[in-house]
Amino acid sequence: MKHLAILLTLSILTSTRIRAQEMVTDYKARPGQMVEDILPTDIQYLLPVFEKTAVTLQSGDEQTGRINIHTLTQKVHMLDEKGDTMMVAGQEDIVRIQTRDCTIIPADTCWVTVIAEHGGITLSSLASIELEYPDGYGNDKQNEELSGGNHLTWLTGAKTTVRYSRDGVPETRTRRYSPDETFTLRCIYKTEFVLTSEGRMYPCRLQSFLKLFPEKKKQIRGFAKTNYTYFNELESVMQLFNFCAGI
């Protein structure tokens, strides 16, 4: 199986005890389909709707617009006055997106939703999707060009090399999948907690806390051990983050 990782950044839903999670869903697909036409819309965008947000740039300037994050491509999209969706230019200059209910920031090549923040360090949520599909289904150069370089969103019936053995002698043949042929596209959706600092993202684990709060290494180790910190459980990791922040 080929693995295709597409990072998504989604808000974590409110509940009594929030945990990191994984959800696996299989979809039937055909060669030539786009991922956007297969996966549900509610996991393709970070926000439920395009809403008016405040966008802060590296220069300190602030702009507003009806913004959303296209989670498949990790690109910021804007809704214009005609209701058309377009990609926001210069989004590498964006340092913060403030919606009515949450704050979204860039970290490495992803967008994460801030849960708590202290001294430039954040505890945030990150969602990701890993797609699995049979060998022979993927991108080709033509579709990569047609999709503006975003080959991750194309599933094509490209040629694939299949090895056979006749009398013990390997033989290579090439076949092309029929446009009517279907295959299973497996979507593995995950949510996890991460730490960020200066635009970098770190997995939510003890070593990351020790790295980002070096002046409290001994205390952090003791707190995590005494309180049995679970790094996949929000309530537990929030207690450790607040301890590190001196709250």
Side-chain angles (χ1 to χ4, degrees), residues 52-63:
K52 189 174 182 179
T53 61
V55 178
T56 304
L57 306 178
Q58 291 181 1
S59 63
D61 294 338
E62 188 173 286
Q63 300 177 355

Side-chain angles (χ1 to χ4, degrees), residues 190-215:
K190 301 177 182 179
T191 60
E192 58 187 309
F193 307 118
V194 297
L195 299 175
T196 73
S197 177
E198 298 181 346
R200 296 291 306 277
M201 182 167 54
Y202 303 86
C204 188
R205 58 191 183 200
L206 182 60
Q207 290 303 318
S208 298
F209 278 91
L210 298 177
K211 179 180 179 65
L212 296 178
F213 298 95
E215 72 284 355

Side-chain angles (χ1 to χ4, degrees), residues 142-157:
Q142 179 182 6
N143 280 335
E144 184 174 347
E145 293 171 358
L146 289 174
S147 59
N150 175 31
H151 62 277
L152 298 182
T153 63
W154 286 83
L155 292 172
T156 71

Side-chain angles (χ1 to χ4, degrees), residues 6-196:
I6 301 177
L7 298 179
L8 311 179
T9 310
L10 302 176
S11 299
I12 294 182
L13 301 178
T14 301
S15 65
T16 304
R17 185 176 290 268
I18 304 174
R19 302 176 65 91
Q21 59 180 324
E22 178 177 311
M23 180 177 65
V24 179
T25 308
D26 288 342
Y27 299 94
K28 287 297 181 182
R30 296 188 186 89
Q33 278 191 290
M34 295 182 68
V35 176
E36 289 94 330
D37 296 332
I38 301 172
L39 301 183
T41 303
D42 59 358
I43 70 170
Q44 292 190 45
Y45 281 98
L46 172 62
L47 304 173
V49 296
F50 281 78
E51 63 178 79
K52 189 174 182 179
T53 61
V55 178
T56 304
L57 306 178
Q58 291 181 1
S59 63
D61 294 338
E62 188 173 286
Q63 300 177 355
T64 59
R66 295 175 66 186
I67 299 294
N68 212 330
I69 307 295
H70 188 243
T71 50
L72 281 172
T73 59
Q74 286 297 294
K75 300 295 183 182
V76 183
H77 285 188
M78 178 178 66
L79 207 61
D80 65 15
E81 296 178 353
K82 297 181 180 180
D84 296 326
T85 303
M86 62 178 65
M87 190 182 301
V88 174
Q91 50 194 276
E92 64 276 1
D93 294 328
I94 298 176
V95 297
R96 185 172 294 255
I97 298 175
Q98 185 65 54
T99 75
R100 180 179 57 186
D101 300 319
C102 66
T103 299
I104 304 165
I105 61 173
D108 291 330
T109 59
C110 309
W111 292 92
V112 299
T113 304
V114 176
I115 299 171
E117 188 169 10
H118 173 76
I121 301 173
T122 80
L123 171 65
S124 298
S125 66
L126 169 70
S128 65
I129 282 183
E130 183 179 275
L131 298 180
E132 295 182 355
Y133 51 90
D135 290 342
Y137 294 94
N139 67 288
D140 58 25
K141 291 184 178 180
Q142 179 182 6
N143 280 335
E144 184 174 347
E145 293 171 358
L146 289 174
S147 59
N150 175 31
H151 62 277
L152 298 182
T153 63
W154 286 83
L155 292 172
T156 71
K159 290 183 179 179
T160 183
T161 299
V162 182
R163 289 194 172 276
Y164 298 87
S165 178
R166 180 184 297 171
D167 300 326
V169 179
E171 179 183 350
T172 299
R173 300 179 185 177
T174 300
R175 62 165 290 195
R176 181 180 291 276
Y177 288 94
S178 166
D180 296 328
E181 187 172 351
T182 62
F183 62 94
T184 298
L185 176 69
R186 172 159 291 182
C187 173
I188 305 172
Y189 171 76
K190 301 177 182 179
T191 60
E192 58 187 309
F193 307 118
V194 297
L195 299 175
T196 73

